[in-house]
Amino acid sequence: MKLSIGGSLKLAFRPWVEGLENIPDEGPAILASNHLSFSDSFFLPAVLTRKITFIAKAEYFTSPGVKGKLTAAFFKGVGQLPVDRSGGRGAGEAAIASAVQVLDRGELFGIYPEGTRSPDGRLYRGKPGGLARVALATGAPVIPVAMIDTEKVQPPGKIVPKMIRPGIRIGKPLDFSRYYGMEGDRFILRSVTDEVMYKIMELSGQEYVDIYATAAKRQIADEAKKRVEAEKARKAAGAGSKAENTKNTKNTENTENTENAEETADTGDSTGDDPGHPADGRTEHRAGA
């Protein structure tokens, strides 16, 4: 299935590749990539001659029905490894253990140090708990990879891809054997992760943001929520102002109607008989008589 999927992707999108010679012909290696799109895990395996394994949510492999079985077969075919991520820290340990097993077999393991897709195309701070721990536990070299324009092929939330030619730039292997066995030192883990992220930045040309992508997504979601609430408040205020204007208009009309009625009544009184004033000429004539 990998051949059929990879061949179809290359035929349809014609991804360009630089640095393919940096992938070893044999032996374990960790490919650490930026993460722009869901399709990253399909385009990278498509251009490699060796099998590469990524971590994927277990739900992709356990969904019921015909669709679930097809989805599971698809993810297995492109080298995805199911890991239950619902258990917090235990899930992270399971992912690391799975990665170590892949590398111990002398295979390629793919990982996204950012931990999630970039929300805006920028490169975010790498999480040290996965990449660095696996690298130091196994001694496998880390190969930085930059995915280019894959977010334009399949933007977040879109199902149908656009026919845009993406690119993949592969850097030279990084050797962290000097830190072998020091995966328990959080400062070493941070240093290793930052070095890898710097190389990815150089390859991708992305703007680097020194916060986690998960935090950036929360900020974006909070800002979007605030905009929605502000818009609702604006509309509510506008509706209230309109209602007040309507009320004021009606009050004005009522006042004007009342005043007009009073003026009409006053006019009627002035044309009637007034004992102190002559009503017409005949009354005045009688008085003269």
Side-chain angles (χ1 to χ4, degrees), residues 218-274:
R218 285 195 297 271
Q219 290 179 2
I220 292 172
D222 290 343
E223 289 172 359
K225 184 178 179 181
K226 289 179 181 178
R227 286 195 298 269
V228 171
E229 291 175 348
E231 181 64 16
K232 287 182 179 179
R234 186 188 67 80
K235 289 182 178 179
S241 177
K242 183 178 181 181
E244 184 65 24
N245 290 337
T246 302
K247 181 180 178 182
N248 291 337
T249 300
K250 288 183 177 180
N251 289 339
T252 301
E253 291 175 350
N254 291 337
T255 301
E256 290 176 351
N257 291 337
T258 301
E259 290 175 350
N260 290 337
E262 291 176 350
E263 289 176 0
T264 302
D266 289 343
T267 303
D269 291 341
S270 67
T271 58
D273 294 336
D274 188 341

Side-chain angles (χ1 to χ4, degrees), residues 192-209:
V192 169
T193 304
D194 288 347
E195 183 174 340
V196 174
M197 297 309 295
Y198 182 80
K199 292 298 182 181
I200 294 175
M201 181 187 68
E202 287 185 326
L203 292 170
S204 68
Q206 291 171 278
E207 176 186 350
Y208 180 76
V209 186

